[in-house]
Each structure stands twice: as C-alpha cells, then as structure tokens.
Amino acid sequence: MPQIVIPVKNLTTTPEPVTCANCQACCCQLEVRIVTDTGVPFHYIEYDKWGSEVMKRADDGWCQALDRNTLMCSIYENRPLVCREFEMASDECITERELGGL
C-alpha cells in the first residue's frame, strides 16, 4: 500500500505587529467628533446634522488632516481627544484593519 503524505500547515501564524511604518491609517476613515479643545485648526472642523463639531472628511471619506504621502496626521500635536485615545494595535485598531482588508 502506498504511503500517503499529508502536508503540514502552520496554524499558528502571528500577524506582523502594527507600527507607524505599517499602520495604513485605517482609523482615519472613522467619524471623529470633537468633544474637547485640543487646538484642532478651524479649517479641519465642520458640523454634523446635529450641530456637533466633527473632523472634516475628504470626498473619499478619509480625514482631511491625514497626510496622504506619509499616512500620518498632519496636526498630530493638536489632534482630537478621540484620536489621542485610539491606541495603535488595540482591539479596535485591529478590527478596523481587518475591515480595511489588512
């Protein structure tokens, strides 16, 4: 009887850790409500239908403050509180990356 070879699959692949170098700024597609004064420049602010301040978004849905060449925040020192609290590699971050196909 011939011997059957079953290929071995690595079932414990560890995803690459999320860093500034591979982030892809998926969170910059989320709606960001401005709830505290962190110094966001006025030209990046608009008002939603309820009158709340939110970050402006480009026609494609990305935050207007995102530098498209570097995929980094152009107003990092003055970014909204929500952005400050959104931790890189957190569960929320990983979920947004998965939704973005990363």
Side-chain angles (χ1 to χ4, degrees):
M1 181 175 245
Q3 185 177 14
I4 299 175
V5 178
I6 300 173
V8 177
K9 293 182 180 179
N10 184 358
L11 299 177
T12 59
T13 58
T14 306
E16 181 181 10
V18 180
T19 66
C20 289
N22 68 7
C23 170
Q24 299 299 310
C26 294
C27 59
C28 293
Q29 296 181 61
L30 300 173
E31 182 176 75
V32 174
R33 182 165 287 143
I34 300 171
V35 294
T36 61
D37 183 11
T38 59
V40 173
F42 186 73
H43 63 276
Y44 288 115
I45 298 173
E46 64 184 5
Y47 296 89
D48 66 13
K49 63 183 175 182
W50 298 280
S52 298
E53 290 184 330
V54 294
M55 289 296 292
K56 280 186 181 178
R57 297 163 68 123
D59 291 338
D60 60 4
W62 288 82
C63 178
Q64 290 255 337
L66 178 68
D67 180 321
R68 297 300 185 96
N69 294 318
T70 64
L71 292 182
M72 297 180 86
C73 182
S74 65
I75 60 165
Y76 188 80
E77 294 301 319
N78 299 102
R79 69 195 186 281
L81 179 63
V82 171
C83 300
R84 293 168 189 261
E85 292 179 341
F86 195 94
E87 294 182 41
M88 182 171 38
S90 65
D91 289 342
E92 294 84 5
C93 172
I94 299 304
T95 298
E96 289 305 318
R97 287 175 60 85
E98 289 172 354
L99 291 171
L102 300 175

